[in-house]
Amino acid sequence: MINFSAYRREWFSNIRGDILSGIVVALALIPEAIGFSVIAGVDPRVGLYASFAIACVSAITGGRPGMISAATAATAVVMVTLVKEHGLQYLFAATILMGIIQIIAGLAKIGRVMRFVSRSVITGFVNSLAVLIFMAQLPELIGVPVATYVMIAGGLAIIYLFPYITKAVPSPLVSIVIITLIVWFTGMDVRTVGDLGALPDSLPHFMIPDVPFTLETLQIIFPYSITLAAVGLLESLLTAQIVDDMTDTPSNKSQECLGQGASNIASAFIGGMGGCAMIGQSVINVSSGGRGRLSTFVAGAFLLFLIVALNDLVRIIPMAALVAVMIMVSIGTFKWRSVLDLRKNPLSSSIVMLATVATVLITHDLAKGVIVGVMLSGIFFAGKVAKLFSVKTSPKDTNGTVTYTVEGQIFFASAESFIEAFDFATPADKVKIDVSQAHLWDITAVGALDKVVIKFRRNGTDVEVIGFNRASADMIDRYALHDKAEREAASASLH
């Protein structure tokens, strides 16, 4: 159920801060949206319309207030082949299917998977993204007039020093306005937004993708849609987690999946490409005072107002002013403390963080970096848990019985050590295996117990296994190969 009181607060508790921060984000979205359109091989208006639709719709339907979603590089690179081989209309169709898949993921509560992403992976994700944001500015820093460097330095000075004067207005917005006025009055020959490409001069209109509604079309778009949906959700959920940390507020990850799906469907129906959350713009928004849904909505709505109503004014904004803002974002996003903590943190955590960063920087693919980080985290975690078990052996009693007391977690990573803990060479009339302080997690653990019991019996030793908890008894009852009657008795005692 929606808590309407909380939802209302998310819209109207920070009106002034959200409006001003939304304006800053809208200005920063323009070159990004145009650049991502170029990456995808489509007209700039496709990225700009997408950023408008995704931001506005996700503001209403998303689960993370204050987070900015729009057209992104992560999704743009997936679209290149589809656009090249089948055309723009198939991209719109794939984006609609992408949204449907994301809505299904939201209904399935897939947002819960974020609990499996370790802090080391998130730190690596943030650091690599900070580096990528800076690298994306290099074309505007190499082979440009000296005046450009002066403007960028001046912009950064305003961004960092203006808050000492007042925090009533976001310093990035002040920086953009001042640098634009300086360039306009002095007539400096620097690169501007207008040099990136043609901006749309009309409002978007509703459209249905002009593709045949056939199984063949579905076969063409489905692989792209599933990839777009996965990449988009992964980046959005990670960005939501980062904004949670920055604002010290929770978010509804499953609702965010629904919001991303709805916003992508809306984008496609007005001629936009697919997108997802943007950590750079989200950091700009939060750093500029944005906290609520209104900031995201203003970013999208003001973006459309800028490119349609203030087309001529937007064209003269120097790229140097926007580059200064993005460099600020890069510096603020990078977790500088994590570099110092490399020597303090456990080696496994440091390896996970560095592997995540290295993978992203090598592949320029955030999703691959996160996947590598999560896999390494899982491997290291399994290794740690595998060591959290022991098998204690009691001396043979007067009846010739040796008791083995098992403590801890038995699963695929600890199964081999579990088998090696038993002494099959020393004769005993009877062996009692007490697992009351242990848990068997998987069929590998059940198979290990089978091997131990069967091996003792082959040596002529009577074996009794006692102390199964309910979950372990169910596993044994379903999958074990040793004495069926014994297993049924163990299971019956718990049911």
Side-chain angles (χ1 to χ4, degrees):
M1 295 292 291
I2 296 176
N3 186 327
F4 287 101
S5 177
Y7 189 75
R8 187 173 182 274
R9 284 197 303 273
E10 290 172 354
W11 274 98
F12 304 116
S13 63
N14 183 39
I15 294 177
R16 181 175 165 281
D18 284 348
I19 291 176
L20 291 174
S21 63
I23 292 172
V24 176
V25 172
L27 292 167
L29 278 175
I30 293 173
E32 298 281 305
I34 295 174
F36 300 150
S37 299
V38 172
I39 291 174
V42 297
D43 188 274
R45 74 180 62 206
V46 176
L48 291 165
Y49 286 163
S51 295
F52 151 69
I54 294 172
C56 289
V57 175
S58 65
I60 299 169
T61 61
R64 173 60 263 179
M67 187 171 77
I68 305 298
S69 296
T72 63
T75 54
V77 294
V78 180
M79 305 170 185
V80 176
T81 305
L82 176 62
V83 174
K84 189 178 297 184
E85 295 182 357
H86 300 282
L88 185 59
Q89 295 299 320
Y90 278 84
L91 171 59
F92 297 148
T95 302
I96 293 173
L97 182 56
M98 167 194 181
I100 293 172
I101 294 171
Q102 290 178 326
I103 289 175
I104 293 172
L107 295 174
K109 307 294 184 183
I110 204 170
R112 296 173 180 171
V113 301
M114 278 304 298
R115 69 185 67 178
F116 300 109
V117 181
S118 70
R119 179 62 53 184
S120 298
V121 174
I122 293 177
T123 301
F125 173 83
V126 170
N127 287 348
S128 56
L129 193 53
V131 176
L132 288 181
I133 291 172
F134 181 80
M135 291 174 63
Q137 312 313 311
L138 292 180
E140 302 297 333
L141 296 170
I142 299 174
V144 295
V146 175
T148 300
Y149 299 113
V150 175
M151 291 295 100
I152 292 174
L156 287 169
I158 295 170
I159 289 171
Y160 286 111
L161 297 178
F162 189 78
Y164 288 103
I165 300 174
T166 178
K167 294 183 179 179
V169 182
S171 61
L173 178 59
V174 175
S175 174
I176 292 171
V177 172
I178 291 177
I179 297 301
T180 301
L181 290 174
I182 290 174
V183 171
W184 187 65
F185 279 114
T186 62
M188 287 185 183
D189 183 19
V190 295
R191 187 170 162 85
T192 65
V193 171
D195 296 325
L196 297 178
L199 299 178
D201 54 6
S202 62
L203 294 171
H205 60 276
F206 180 81
M207 54 159 287
I208 296 175
D210 184 16
V211 298
F213 294 89
T214 63
L215 182 59
E216 181 183 359
T217 299
L218 181 61
Q219 290 174 335
I220 291 172
I221 66 174
F222 184 76
Y224 294 98
S225 297
I226 196 75
T227 303
L228 285 166
V231 170
L233 287 183
L234 179 61
E235 189 156 348
S236 297
L237 294 176
L238 284 170
T239 303
Q241 185 65 52
I242 292 164
V243 177
D244 288 355
D245 294 341
M246 292 181 67
T247 60
D248 196 25
T249 56
S251 62
N252 187 330
K253 304 299 189 300
S254 295
Q255 181 62 42
E256 186 57 41
C257 295
L258 294 171
Q260 290 293 321
S263 61
N264 279 305
I265 291 173
S267 172
F269 278 128
I270 64 167
M273 59 199 281
C276 61
M278 306 179 76
I279 186 171
Q281 274 64 23
S282 297
V283 171
I284 292 175
N285 190 43
V286 173
S287 301
S288 300
R291 291 294 183 273
R293 295 177 182 271
L294 183 61
S295 62
T296 308
F297 186 85
V298 168
F302 194 68
L303 169 65
L304 185 65
F305 176 74
L306 284 173
I307 61 178
V308 175
L310 302 180
N311 193 300
D312 293 335
L313 182 60
V314 171
R315 292 177 186 277
I316 67 172
I317 296 176
M319 285 301 300
L322 300 177
V323 168
V325 173
M326 297 311 294
I327 290 176
M328 177 272 291
V329 171
S330 177
I331 295 172
T333 301
F334 194 90
K335 300 290 186 182
W336 300 98
R337 181 72 187 178
S338 65
V339 178
L340 300 175
D341 288 343
L342 284 174
R343 300 176 64 181
K344 300 179 182 178
N345 290 339
L347 180 60
S348 58
S349 297
S350 298
I351 291 174
V352 168
M353 193 273 281
L354 293 174
T356 302
V357 173
T359 304
V360 171
L361 295 184
I362 292 171
T363 64
H364 284 230
D365 189 328
L366 291 165
K368 289 179 181 176
V370 172
I371 290 171
V372 168
V374 170
M375 288 177 62
L376 281 175
S377 294
I379 292 171
F380 286 130
F381 175 75
K384 289 178 182 177
V385 175
K387 298 176 183 178
L388 299 178
F389 95 100
S390 64
V391 179
K392 299 177 181 177
T393 308
S394 65
K396 187 186 300 184
D397 62 16
T398 56
N399 296 321
T401 301
V402 176
T403 301
Y404 292 91
T405 304
V406 184
E407 299 178 359
Q409 314 304 314
I410 314 300
F411 65 114
F412 64 89
S414 59
E416 186 175 343
S417 298
F418 170 76
I419 296 171
E420 293 173 351
F422 293 89
D423 182 6
F424 300 103
T426 304
D429 296 329
K430 184 176 180 179
V431 165
K432 186 180 291 185
I433 303 175
D434 183 357
V435 295
S436 58
Q437 299 179 61
H439 187 92
L440 280 69
W441 284 98
D442 55 17
I443 59 174
T444 306
V446 174
L449 182 61
D450 273 338
K451 287 181 180 180
V452 170
V453 173
I454 292 171
K455 195 164 184 177
F456 272 122
R457 286 177 177 170
R458 283 176 180 169
N459 293 339
T461 303
D462 185 25
V463 181
E464 181 185 8
V465 185
I466 62 172
F468 290 117
N469 59 33
R470 182 181 297 276
S472 297
D474 287 341
M475 289 284 292
I476 290 293
D477 189 50
R478 293 177 63 186
Y479 303 114
L481 300 177
H482 64 271
D483 191 70
K484 179 70 176 177
E486 179 182 326
R487 290 189 283 115
E488 289 178 346
S491 180
S493 67
L494 294 172
H495 291 82

